[in-house]
Amino acid sequence: MATHHNLPLQERISLKNTFQRVSSLLILALLLSLLLYRLTSLHSHGSIWLIAFLCESWFTFIWVLYMNAKWNPVKYKTYPELLLKRSDDLPAVDMFVTTADPKLEPPIITANTVLSLLAVEYPAHKLACYVSDDGSSPMTFYSLVEASKFAKLWVPFCKKYNVRVRAPFVYFSSEPQAPQTLLQEFMDTWRYMKNKYEELSQRIDDAAKDYISHRMDDELADFSNIERGNHPSLIKVIWENKEGLEGGIPHLVYVAREKRPKLPHHYKAGAMNVLARVSGVMTNAPFMLNVDCDMFANHPEVILHGMCLLLGFDNEVSSGFVQAPQQFYGALKDDPFGNQLVVLQEITVGGTGGLQGPFYGGTGCFHRRKIICSTPRPAGVSKHDELSYNELQRIYGDSRELIESASHITSGKFRESSCVDDLSSSVEAAKRVASCTYEFNTCWGNKIGWAYGSMTEDVLTGLRIHSMGSKSVCLKLDPPAFLGSAATGGPASLTQNKRWSTGLLEILLTRRSPILATFTKQLEFRMCLAYLLVIVWALRSIGELCYALLPAYCLIANTSFMPKASEPVFVIPLALFLICNMHSLMEYVQCGLSVRAYWNNQRMNRIFAMTAWLLGLLAVLLKTLGLSETVFEVTRKDQQSDTNDTDKDPGRFTFDNSPLFVSGTAVLLANLAALTVGLLRLRRPVVGPGLGEFVCSVWVVLSLWPFARGRVGRGSYGIPWPVIRKAAVLASLFVQFSVLERVH
């Protein structure tokens, strides 16, 4: 008879996608047919035909990458009730929260995320929460201290009444569902808790307005001479579960790593490595959960579900890490900025579950400390042999406490509990491993920990883990495991995509490229193709930009790149256009989204490619040539704009003076000029562009419609004149070039 120790904690379920496979193959056949037609007719057309062939070849390659990623979708079902029967064996978990800028990431947001983690359904004595503050802000520390006081009321309240949403700002934003048996008692307690939370929010707001002069007491004295970007390590134990109570409140530790102006800090990857080391010398839990400061725990049993996927496999390499999809609260209807990524995560990334698993997304992810800190073996040393102390020092640094904790974890000997006798006694050791020089001449950021070398340190770190032969698992729950805030407005959305495309292309150009990892390490070939799908975002801007300008060029130069509507072969691009759009629309419907959401995402994909991804490509080229360094840009996390305009119409595209908007505006102006020329030429029938060129040019204008509205908009809804002037110059040069080509 099966015992609760050998009952499965998870179940892998393969999903059928016959319709998607058939339609994908049909689209691939049409793409290949179009390429064959281009090849057989190249001799009778000019260079414009060759450019179209190259672009369409690139689109075909991208389509193959999409097909590969979507081909074998799987999902996992977890059984946390079986895990609870092993309550004595539950492993400890260290929870990491990262924040970098108190203005773009308000401390009240961070406090809510921390409160949601402190209140999860898991033995409190096996949890510890570490908050990394890269802004070394006294406001962030103060908000955490106040939140820890509120947690003494909030955590028991949540567990007594089985509150499902444990981020207070979301929970108190709607009327409660009171248990019928405790209606009056519950309502009285609910009102009391809501008042206490409002007082907490007010204290934090008041402190932000006049902090230094009224709030700098002994507890905050260390912040009195803090200079951002130039300060020693600050490690403060805000709350310690000294009694090790299972129903108490988990440890809460504030971490501000040392920073010096001329020493590298490696952005978020550096912060994560400091958290791994600090927690290693303090609690050293075998598992780690990391979330961004705005990504609160939306499912109270999220850690239990995560542990089911980490503990439910016979071999730990089958679940090297567990990634929850990024989902968002308060998201705008129909995803007007195309950054909620529903279809990408549901279908595309979800399909990678049939390969080596989903990518590491940087937040909402459970890690094995053993894999993150796995020891790279010197040449000739077996994995079963113990390394000398000098070799361990070269790998982990010269902290004796860290070397001992890392050796303990990598040996597979988990502690019974993460609780130590006195966290405060570990603070000095923690400060030492949080110094900005600690990593020098070690393997941190290279062979162990979060990987350096890209602004998308999450994808690079996940790639390193997959290249070691490990797999990852997707944690998809209902309700969602975590919820965060999506960027809103044009500037924030494009900045976010520029950062992603820049970091992803950096990965392709390093020695840790998935292409090299396929030949030299243990990355599977199909998983390599899945990585290429996202890593080439910046490169896709070239094909997208060229193809968006092809119809404009043809209309002005009086030539064509499409077959005439009277030719039988015209049915190929026509069928390709219709079937491809229907295929995409069906994916959005399958994910429960509207037709409007489908269109918003389609046009935003075009906009991202011709703006943010293009500048990401230029940034990497300049870095490669040694002319510039890439800069990590933090996006706003409170879903508020710097202007009041977006309060009137939050779903409308906004603009600023950023170069991000120049290329998109230029493409729009070029196509508008081309359509004007083409319509004027219709008065006298001549051999030249046909229906295909007109349709393509109109499609480009519709895709760039937010820019067309911005041309006549006011305030933040309008494209600034400096951007328009730069775009007009580029569009004029393009038109002049097209006219000269026509003359020749």
Side-chain angles (χ1 to χ4, degrees), residues 150-194:
F150 178 72
K152 297 172 186 176
L153 300 173
W154 176 246
V155 173
F157 170 77
C158 290
K159 295 188 176 181
K160 178 178 180 179
Y161 296 107
N162 193 27
V163 172
R164 303 307 295 170
V165 179
R166 299 189 178 181
F169 82 110
V170 176
Y171 178 68
F172 291 121
S173 64
S174 59
E175 290 299 315
Q177 295 181 350
Q180 293 299 318
T181 56
L182 300 171
L183 182 59
Q184 189 57 49
E185 175 193 339
F186 171 79
M187 290 306 300
D188 291 342
T189 309
W190 183 87
R191 294 188 189 96
Y192 173 77
M193 291 301 302
K194 184 176 182 182

Short mmCIF file of all heavy atoms in Angstrom, two decimals, residues 150-194:
data_model
loop_
_atom_site.label_atom_id
_atom_site.label_comp_id
_atom_site.label_asym_id
_atom_site.label_seq_id
_atom_site.Cartn_x
_atom_site.Cartn_y
_atom_site.Cartn_z
N PHE A 150 3.24 45.84 11.28
CA PHE A 150 1.90 45.52 10.80
C PHE A 150 1.75 44.01 10.57
O PHE A 150 0.66 43.45 10.74
CB PHE A 150 1.63 46.29 9.50
CG PHE A 150 0.31 46.00 8.88
CD1 PHE A 150 -0.88 46.47 9.44
CD2 PHE A 150 0.22 45.25 7.71
CE1 PHE A 150 -2.11 46.20 8.86
CE2 PHE A 150 -1.00 44.97 7.12
CZ PHE A 150 -2.17 45.45 7.70
N ALA A 151 2.84 43.34 10.20
CA ALA A 151 2.79 41.90 9.93
C ALA A 151 2.36 41.10 11.15
O ALA A 151 1.76 40.03 11.02
CB ALA A 151 4.15 41.41 9.44
N LYS A 152 2.65 41.61 12.36
CA LYS A 152 2.26 40.90 13.57
C LYS A 152 0.74 40.82 13.71
O LYS A 152 0.21 39.94 14.40
CB LYS A 152 2.87 41.60 14.79
CG LYS A 152 4.39 41.58 14.77
CD LYS A 152 4.97 42.45 15.88
CE LYS A 152 6.49 42.53 15.76
NZ LYS A 152 7.09 43.43 16.77
N LEU A 153 0.04 41.73 13.06
CA LEU A 153 -1.43 41.68 13.01
C LEU A 153 -1.91 41.00 11.74
O LEU A 153 -2.87 40.23 11.75
CB LEU A 153 -1.99 43.11 13.09
CG LEU A 153 -1.65 43.93 14.32
CD1 LEU A 153 -2.15 45.36 14.14
CD2 LEU A 153 -2.26 43.32 15.57
N TRP A 154 -1.23 41.30 10.62
CA TRP A 154 -1.68 40.87 9.30
C TRP A 154 -1.56 39.36 9.11
O TRP A 154 -2.50 38.71 8.62
CB TRP A 154 -0.88 41.61 8.23
CG TRP A 154 -1.15 41.20 6.82
CD1 TRP A 154 -0.30 40.58 5.96
CD2 TRP A 154 -2.38 41.38 6.10
NE1 TRP A 154 -0.91 40.37 4.75
CE2 TRP A 154 -2.19 40.85 4.81
CE3 TRP A 154 -3.62 41.93 6.42
CZ2 TRP A 154 -3.18 40.86 3.84
CZ3 TRP A 154 -4.61 41.94 5.45
CH2 TRP A 154 -4.39 41.42 4.18
N VAL A 155 -0.44 38.78 9.50
CA VAL A 155 -0.22 37.35 9.27
C VAL A 155 -1.24 36.50 10.05
O VAL A 155 -1.88 35.61 9.46
CB VAL A 155 1.22 36.96 9.62
CG1 VAL A 155 1.41 35.44 9.57
CG2 VAL A 155 2.20 37.64 8.67
N PRO A 156 -1.46 36.74 11.35
CA PRO A 156 -2.50 35.96 12.05
C PRO A 156 -3.90 36.17 11.47
O PRO A 156 -4.70 35.22 11.40
CB PRO A 156 -2.42 36.48 13.49
CG PRO A 156 -1.05 37.05 13.62
CD PRO A 156 -0.73 37.62 12.28
N PHE A 157 -4.21 37.40 11.05
CA PHE A 157 -5.51 37.69 10.45
C PHE A 157 -5.72 36.86 9.19
O PHE A 157 -6.77 36.24 8.98
CB PHE A 157 -5.60 39.18 10.14
CG PHE A 157 -6.80 39.57 9.31
CD1 PHE A 157 -8.06 39.64 9.87
CD2 PHE A 157 -6.65 39.84 7.96
CE1 PHE A 157 -9.17 40.00 9.10
CE2 PHE A 157 -7.74 40.20 7.18
CZ PHE A 157 -9.01 40.28 7.75
N CYS A 158 -4.70 36.83 8.32
CA CYS A 158 -4.81 36.07 7.06
C CYS A 158 -5.02 34.59 7.31
O CYS A 158 -5.84 33.94 6.66
CB CYS A 158 -3.56 36.28 6.21
SG CYS A 158 -3.38 37.93 5.52
N LYS A 159 -4.30 34.04 8.28
CA LYS A 159 -4.37 32.60 8.51
C LYS A 159 -5.63 32.21 9.28
O LYS A 159 -6.18 31.13 9.06
CB LYS A 159 -3.11 32.15 9.24
CG LYS A 159 -1.86 32.34 8.36
CD LYS A 159 -0.61 31.74 8.94
CE LYS A 159 0.55 31.88 7.95
NZ LYS A 159 1.80 31.29 8.44
N LYS A 160 -6.11 33.09 10.13
CA LYS A 160 -7.33 32.78 10.88
C LYS A 160 -8.54 32.76 9.96
O LYS A 160 -9.40 31.86 10.06
CB LYS A 160 -7.53 33.80 11.99
CG LYS A 160 -8.82 33.57 12.78
CD LYS A 160 -8.98 34.58 13.91
CE LYS A 160 -10.27 34.33 14.70
NZ LYS A 160 -10.44 35.29 15.82
N TYR A 161 -8.61 33.74 9.04
CA TYR A 161 -9.80 33.86 8.18
C TYR A 161 -9.54 33.35 6.76
O TYR A 161 -10.35 33.59 5.86
CB TYR A 161 -10.26 35.31 8.14
CG TYR A 161 -10.73 35.82 9.49
CD1 TYR A 161 -9.96 36.71 10.23
CD2 TYR A 161 -11.94 35.38 10.04
CE1 TYR A 161 -10.39 37.18 11.47
CE2 TYR A 161 -12.37 35.83 11.27
CZ TYR A 161 -11.59 36.73 11.98
OH TYR A 161 -12.01 37.18 13.21
N ASN A 162 -8.42 32.67 6.57
CA ASN A 162 -8.09 32.09 5.26
C ASN A 162 -8.20 33.13 4.14
O ASN A 162 -8.82 32.90 3.10
CB ASN A 162 -9.00 30.89 4.96
CG ASN A 162 -8.49 30.08 3.78
OD1 ASN A 162 -7.29 30.05 3.51
ND2 ASN A 162 -9.39 29.42 3.08
N VAL A 163 -7.59 34.28 4.35
CA VAL A 163 -7.56 35.33 3.33
C VAL A 163 -6.80 34.80 2.12
O VAL A 163 -5.69 34.26 2.26
CB VAL A 163 -6.88 36.60 3.88
CG1 VAL A 163 -6.67 37.63 2.79
CG2 VAL A 163 -7.73 37.18 5.00
N ARG A 164 -7.35 34.96 0.94
CA ARG A 164 -6.73 34.40 -0.26
C ARG A 164 -5.74 35.35 -0.91
O ARG A 164 -4.74 34.92 -1.49
CB ARG A 164 -7.81 33.99 -1.27
CG ARG A 164 -8.83 33.00 -0.75
CD ARG A 164 -8.17 31.78 -0.14
NE ARG A 164 -7.44 30.98 -1.12
CZ ARG A 164 -6.63 29.99 -0.81
NH1 ARG A 164 -6.41 29.68 0.47
NH2 ARG A 164 -6.00 29.31 -1.75
N VAL A 165 -6.02 36.65 -0.88
CA VAL A 165 -5.09 37.63 -1.45
C VAL A 165 -4.39 38.32 -0.29
O VAL A 165 -5.02 39.06 0.47
CB VAL A 165 -5.82 38.66 -2.33
CG1 VAL A 165 -4.85 39.68 -2.89
CG2 VAL A 165 -6.57 37.96 -3.46
N ARG A 166 -3.09 38.12 -0.15
CA ARG A 166 -2.41 38.55 1.07
C ARG A 166 -1.51 39.76 0.87
O ARG A 166 -0.64 40.02 1.70
CB ARG A 166 -1.66 37.36 1.67
CG ARG A 166 -2.65 36.25 2.02
CD ARG A 166 -2.10 35.11 2.81
NE ARG A 166 -3.18 34.16 3.12
CZ ARG A 166 -3.04 33.05 3.82
NH1 ARG A 166 -1.84 32.74 4.32
NH2 ARG A 166 -4.07 32.26 4.04
N ALA A 167 -1.73 40.49 -0.21
CA ALA A 167 -1.13 41.81 -0.37
C ALA A 167 -2.18 42.81 0.09
O ALA A 167 -3.24 42.93 -0.55
CB ALA A 167 -0.73 42.06 -1.82
N PRO A 168 -1.97 43.54 1.17
CA PRO A 168 -3.03 44.38 1.75
C PRO A 168 -3.62 45.40 0.79
O PRO A 168 -4.83 45.63 0.81
CB PRO A 168 -2.32 45.08 2.92
CG PRO A 168 -1.19 44.19 3.28
CD PRO A 168 -0.75 43.55 2.00
N PHE A 169 -2.80 46.01 -0.07
CA PHE A 169 -3.35 47.06 -0.93
C PHE A 169 -4.35 46.51 -1.94
O PHE A 169 -5.26 47.22 -2.37
CB PHE A 169 -2.22 47.83 -1.63
CG PHE A 169 -1.67 47.16 -2.87
CD1 PHE A 169 -1.91 47.70 -4.12
CD2 PHE A 169 -0.90 46.01 -2.79
CE1 PHE A 169 -1.39 47.10 -5.26
CE2 PHE A 169 -0.38 45.42 -3.91
CZ PHE A 169 -0.63 45.96 -5.16
N VAL A 170 -4.20 45.25 -2.31
CA VAL A 170 -5.17 44.62 -3.20
C VAL A 170 -6.37 44.12 -2.39
O VAL A 170 -7.53 44.32 -2.78
CB VAL A 170 -4.53 43.45 -3.98
CG1 VAL A 170 -5.57 42.74 -4.84
CG2 VAL A 170 -3.39 43.96 -4.84
N TYR A 171 -6.10 43.50 -1.26
CA TYR A 171 -7.17 42.92 -0.45
C TYR A 171 -8.16 43.99 0.02
O TYR A 171 -9.38 43.79 -0.04
CB TYR A 171 -6.56 42.20 0.75
CG TYR A 171 -7.60 41.62 1.69
CD1 TYR A 171 -8.40 40.55 1.30
CD2 TYR A 171 -7.77 42.13 2.98
CE1 TYR A 171 -9.35 40.01 2.15
CE2 TYR A 171 -8.71 41.59 3.85
CZ TYR A 171 -9.50 40.54 3.42
OH TYR A 171 -10.45 40.01 4.26
N PHE A 172 -7.66 45.13 0.46
CA PHE A 172 -8.54 46.17 0.99
C PHE A 172 -9.11 47.08 -0.10
O PHE A 172 -9.82 48.03 0.21
CB PHE A 172 -7.79 47.01 2.02
CG PHE A 172 -7.47 46.27 3.29
CD1 PHE A 172 -6.15 46.12 3.72
CD2 PHE A 172 -8.48 45.70 4.04
CE1 PHE A 172 -5.85 45.43 4.88
CE2 PHE A 172 -8.20 45.00 5.21
CZ PHE A 172 -6.88 44.86 5.63
N SER A 173 -8.82 46.79 -1.36
CA SER A 173 -9.36 47.60 -2.45
C SER A 173 -10.78 47.20 -2.83
O SER A 173 -11.42 47.86 -3.63
CB SER A 173 -8.46 47.49 -3.69
OG SER A 173 -8.46 46.16 -4.19
N SER A 174 -11.29 46.10 -2.25
CA SER A 174 -12.65 45.65 -2.54
C SER A 174 -13.31 45.19 -1.24
O SER A 174 -12.64 44.98 -0.23
CB SER A 174 -12.64 44.51 -3.56
OG SER A 174 -11.87 43.42 -3.08
N GLU A 175 -14.61 45.03 -1.27
CA GLU A 175 -15.35 44.58 -0.09
C GLU A 175 -15.03 43.12 0.20
O GLU A 175 -14.86 42.31 -0.72
CB GLU A 175 -16.85 44.76 -0.31
CG GLU A 175 -17.29 46.21 -0.34
CD GLU A 175 -17.00 46.94 0.97
OE1 GLU A 175 -17.27 46.36 2.05
OE2 GLU A 175 -16.48 48.06 0.92
N PRO A 176 -14.96 42.75 1.47
CA PRO A 176 -14.57 41.37 1.82
C PRO A 176 -15.72 40.39 1.67
O PRO A 176 -16.89 40.76 1.65
CB PRO A 176 -14.17 41.51 3.30
CG PRO A 176 -15.07 42.60 3.80
CD PRO A 176 -15.21 43.58 2.66
N GLN A 177 -15.34 39.13 1.55
CA GLN A 177 -16.30 38.03 1.57
C GLN A 177 -16.22 37.40 2.96
O GLN A 177 -15.29 36.65 3.26
CB GLN A 177 -15.99 37.01 0.48
CG GLN A 177 -16.15 37.57 -0.92
CD GLN A 177 -15.86 36.52 -1.98
OE1 GLN A 177 -15.36 35.44 -1.69
NE2 GLN A 177 -16.17 36.85 -3.23
N ALA A 178 -17.16 37.73 3.79
CA ALA A 178 -17.11 37.33 5.19
C ALA A 178 -17.63 35.91 5.40
O ALA A 178 -18.65 35.53 4.81
CB ALA A 178 -17.93 38.30 6.04
N PRO A 179 -16.94 35.11 6.21
CA PRO A 179 -17.48 33.79 6.59
C PRO A 179 -18.80 33.95 7.33
O PRO A 179 -18.91 34.77 8.25
CB PRO A 179 -16.39 33.22 7.50
CG PRO A 179 -15.17 34.05 7.23
CD PRO A 179 -15.66 35.40 6.84
N GLN A 180 -19.82 33.20 6.95
CA GLN A 180 -21.16 33.36 7.53
C GLN A 180 -21.18 33.06 9.02
O GLN A 180 -21.90 33.69 9.79
CB GLN A 180 -22.16 32.44 6.79
CG GLN A 180 -22.40 32.84 5.35
CD GLN A 180 -22.99 34.24 5.24
OE1 GLN A 180 -23.88 34.61 6.01
NE2 GLN A 180 -22.51 35.01 4.26
N THR A 181 -20.34 32.11 9.43
CA THR A 181 -20.36 31.72 10.85
C THR A 181 -19.69 32.76 11.74
O THR A 181 -19.90 32.77 12.95
CB THR A 181 -19.66 30.36 11.03
OG1 THR A 181 -18.33 30.46 10.49
CG2 THR A 181 -20.43 29.26 10.31
N LEU A 182 -18.86 33.62 11.16
CA LEU A 182 -18.13 34.62 11.94
C LEU A 182 -18.35 36.01 11.36
O LEU A 182 -17.45 36.84 11.35
CB LEU A 182 -16.63 34.29 11.94
CG LEU A 182 -16.21 32.94 12.51
CD1 LEU A 182 -14.73 32.68 12.24
CD2 LEU A 182 -16.48 32.88 14.01
N LEU A 183 -19.56 36.27 10.87
CA LEU A 183 -19.81 37.48 10.10
C LEU A 183 -19.46 38.75 10.87
O LEU A 183 -18.65 39.55 10.42
CB LEU A 183 -21.28 37.52 9.65
CG LEU A 183 -21.65 38.73 8.78
CD1 LEU A 183 -20.80 38.76 7.53
CD2 LEU A 183 -23.14 38.67 8.41
N GLN A 184 -20.06 38.94 12.05
CA GLN A 184 -19.85 40.19 12.78
C GLN A 184 -18.41 40.31 13.29
O GLN A 184 -17.78 41.36 13.19
CB GLN A 184 -20.83 40.28 13.96
CG GLN A 184 -20.83 41.64 14.64
CD GLN A 184 -21.14 42.78 13.67
OE1 GLN A 184 -22.10 42.71 12.91
NE2 GLN A 184 -20.31 43.82 13.68
N GLU A 185 -17.91 39.19 13.83
CA GLU A 185 -16.53 39.21 14.33
C GLU A 185 -15.55 39.53 13.20
O GLU A 185 -14.63 40.34 13.35
CB GLU A 185 -16.18 37.85 14.94
CG GLU A 185 -14.72 37.73 15.37
CD GLU A 185 -14.32 36.30 15.67
OE1 GLU A 185 -15.22 35.48 15.94
OE2 GLU A 185 -13.10 36.02 15.60
N PHE A 186 -15.77 38.90 12.05
CA PHE A 186 -14.89 39.12 10.92
C PHE A 186 -14.95 40.56 10.45
O PHE A 186 -13.91 41.19 10.19
CB PHE A 186 -15.25 38.17 9.76
CG PHE A 186 -14.51 38.49 8.49
CD1 PHE A 186 -13.20 38.08 8.31
CD2 PHE A 186 -15.13 39.22 7.48
CE1 PHE A 186 -12.51 38.38 7.14
CE2 PHE A 186 -14.45 39.53 6.31
CZ PHE A 186 -13.14 39.10 6.14
N MET A 187 -16.15 41.13 10.29
CA MET A 187 -16.29 42.49 9.79
C MET A 187 -15.63 43.49 10.74
O MET A 187 -14.99 44.45 10.29
CB MET A 187 -17.76 42.84 9.57
CG MET A 187 -18.40 42.10 8.41
SD MET A 187 -17.50 42.29 6.84
CE MET A 187 -17.56 44.08 6.63
N ASP A 188 -15.77 43.28 12.01
CA ASP A 188 -15.13 44.18 12.97
C ASP A 188 -13.60 44.11 12.84
O ASP A 188 -12.92 45.14 12.84
CB ASP A 188 -15.54 43.82 14.40
CG ASP A 188 -17.01 44.13 14.68
OD1 ASP A 188 -17.60 44.93 13.91
OD2 ASP A 188 -17.56 43.58 15.66
N THR A 189 -13.11 42.87 12.73
CA THR A 189 -11.66 42.70 12.59
C THR A 189 -11.18 43.25 11.26
O THR A 189 -10.11 43.87 11.18
CB THR A 189 -11.29 41.21 12.70
OG1 THR A 189 -11.89 40.65 13.86
CG2 THR A 189 -9.79 41.04 12.75
N TRP A 190 -11.98 43.04 10.21
CA TRP A 190 -11.60 43.54 8.87
C TRP A 190 -11.48 45.07 8.89
O TRP A 190 -10.51 45.62 8.35
CB TRP A 190 -12.66 43.10 7.85
CG TRP A 190 -12.33 43.50 6.44
CD1 TRP A 190 -11.57 42.80 5.55
CD2 TRP A 190 -12.76 44.69 5.76
NE1 TRP A 190 -11.49 43.48 4.36
CE2 TRP A 190 -12.22 44.64 4.46
CE3 TRP A 190 -13.56 45.77 6.11
CZ2 TRP A 190 -12.44 45.65 3.52
CZ3 TRP A 190 -13.77 46.78 5.18
CH2 TRP A 190 -13.23 46.72 3.90
N ARG A 191 -12.44 45.76 9.48
CA ARG A 191 -12.38 47.22 9.53
C ARG A 191 -11.17 47.68 10.35
O ARG A 191 -10.49 48.65 9.98
CB ARG A 191 -13.67 47.77 10.14
CG ARG A 191 -14.90 47.54 9.28
CD ARG A 191 -16.11 48.28 9.84
NE ARG A 191 -17.34 47.89 9.15
CZ ARG A 191 -18.18 46.97 9.57
NH1 ARG A 191 -17.95 46.33 10.73
NH2 ARG A 191 -19.26 46.67 8.88
N TYR A 192 -10.90 46.98 11.44
CA TYR A 192 -9.74 47.32 12.27
C TYR A 192 -8.44 47.16 11.47
O TYR A 192 -7.56 48.04 11.50
CB TYR A 192 -9.73 46.42 13.51
CG TYR A 192 -8.48 46.57 14.36
CD1 TYR A 192 -8.33 47.66 15.21
CD2 TYR A 192 -7.48 45.60 14.31
CE1 TYR A 192 -7.18 47.79 16.00
CE2 TYR A 192 -6.33 45.72 15.09
CZ TYR A 192 -6.19 46.82 15.93
OH TYR A 192 -5.06 46.95 16.69
N MET A 193 -8.32 46.04 10.73
CA MET A 193 -7.12 45.79 9.94
C MET A 193 -6.99 46.80 8.81
O MET A 193 -5.88 47.27 8.51
CB MET A 193 -7.15 44.36 9.36
CG MET A 193 -7.01 43.26 10.40
SD MET A 193 -5.46 43.37 11.33
CE MET A 193 -4.28 43.28 10.00
N LYS A 194 -8.10 47.16 8.21
CA LYS A 194 -8.04 48.15 7.13
C LYS A 194 -7.57 49.50 7.67
O LYS A 194 -6.74 50.17 7.03
CB LYS A 194 -9.42 48.30 6.47
CG LYS A 194 -9.40 49.25 5.27
CD LYS A 194 -10.74 49.32 4.57
CE LYS A 194 -10.67 50.23 3.35
NZ LYS A 194 -11.97 50.35 2.66
#
